[in-house]
Amino acid sequence: MRITVLIRESARRILKSPRISSAVVLCIALGMAATASVSTLISLTSLRPLPFPDAERLVRIWNVEQGTARQDSLAPADLADLKTGMNSLDRLEATARSRLIWDRPGEPGRRVEGEAVTSGYFPLLDVRPFIGRLITADEFSRGEPVMLLSHETWGREFQFDSDIVGKTVRTLTQDQEIATTYSIVGVLPPDFHGTIADD
């Protein structure tokens, strides 16, 4: 009975002062819209799960210089030390930013970015090649210059050449002192964009 009286009284007051009522309704609507927008943004950026199996079990290890916030990739020697003394992680794979220059005949050099990875990196993330194959453990241990292309690079640089596997590409380091010829062993799927965030 009391609720009915409150509803009638509220309706009477709204009808008596429509301008104030409209302002109140507008403020509530704007507040709800802002809350929904912020919730959506948080959901898209922070709460969205990583697109890998068992993503909640993945961790990234950095070298951090004491007294600074700078994060550096592990050196190969650090990685080897961690692997021999590791007992709290199931597996340990590595990835590092790689910046090279395409050195293709008759074309100006083009700077490209990628990731240098260990052989178990792609299997750990359950990434399967779009065409070709992944890097093998033997190739990695021998230091053979093999390369997987991103799907985007395959299209932009090689016009989706279906015979790309087995072809080679020559690269230079950024200071152009070291040239390496890589054999292309495969192309990654279109939805895989690596795991290193853009600088």
Side-chain angles (χ1 to χ4, degrees):
M1 195 69 167
R2 184 175 171 81
I3 293 174
T4 308
V5 172
L6 285 171
I7 291 171
R8 282 183 190 160
E9 184 62 28
S10 298
R12 191 177 300 121
R13 287 185 181 178
I14 287 170
L15 292 172
K16 281 184 179 179
S17 52
R19 285 186 182 170
I20 292 175
S21 301
S22 298
V24 169
V25 170
L26 182 62
C27 286
I28 292 171
L30 287 173
M32 291 173 65
T35 302
S37 297
V38 170
S39 298
T40 302
L41 183 64
I42 290 171
S43 175
L44 289 174
T45 56
S46 302
L47 304 177
R48 184 175 52 186
L50 294 170
F52 310 120
D54 298 323
E56 70 281 356
R57 299 183 66 214
L58 296 176
V59 295
R60 186 179 291 277
I61 301 172
W62 299 95
N63 266 337
V64 178
E65 192 174 329
Q66 206 166 15
T68 71
R70 181 176 170 174
Q71 297 177 325
D72 291 320
S73 300
L74 299 176
D78 295 330
L79 183 64
D81 288 346
L82 281 172
K83 279 192 170 183
T84 56
M86 179 178 67
N87 54 18
S88 58
L89 300 174
D90 291 338
R91 293 171 62 180
L92 188 62
E93 300 298 336
T95 178
R97 171 84 67 212
S98 177
R99 293 181 172 96
L100 300 170
I101 299 171
W102 288 122
D103 185 30
R104 300 178 69 192
E107 296 182 18
R110 182 196 303 265
R111 294 181 188 277
V112 292
E113 283 193 356
E115 293 183 49
V117 301
T118 52
S119 60
Y121 170 83
F122 294 114
L124 175 67
L125 302 176
D126 197 29
V127 175
R128 294 179 175 88
F130 184 74
I131 60 171
R133 62 174 177 80
L134 300 175
I135 300 166
T136 66
D138 286 341
E139 287 169 334
F140 179 78
S141 63
R142 291 193 301 263
E144 289 187 22
V146 293
M147 178 184 289
L148 284 144
L149 299 174
S150 71
H151 198 275
E152 180 185 348
T153 301
W154 177 43
R156 185 184 64 240
E157 301 289 337
F158 301 96
Q159 293 71 52
F160 300 108
D161 178 3
S162 59
D163 296 322
I164 191 66
V165 174
K167 293 190 175 176
T168 59
V169 63
R170 186 172 184 265
T171 68
L172 300 169
T173 51
Q174 289 211 81
D175 55 14
Q176 300 191 10
E177 288 184 3
I178 302 172
T180 306
T181 300
Y182 288 90
S183 177
I184 298 169
V185 297
V187 175
L188 294 166
D191 58 347
F192 182 75
H193 305 288
T195 57
I196 296 181
D198 293 334
D199 294 338

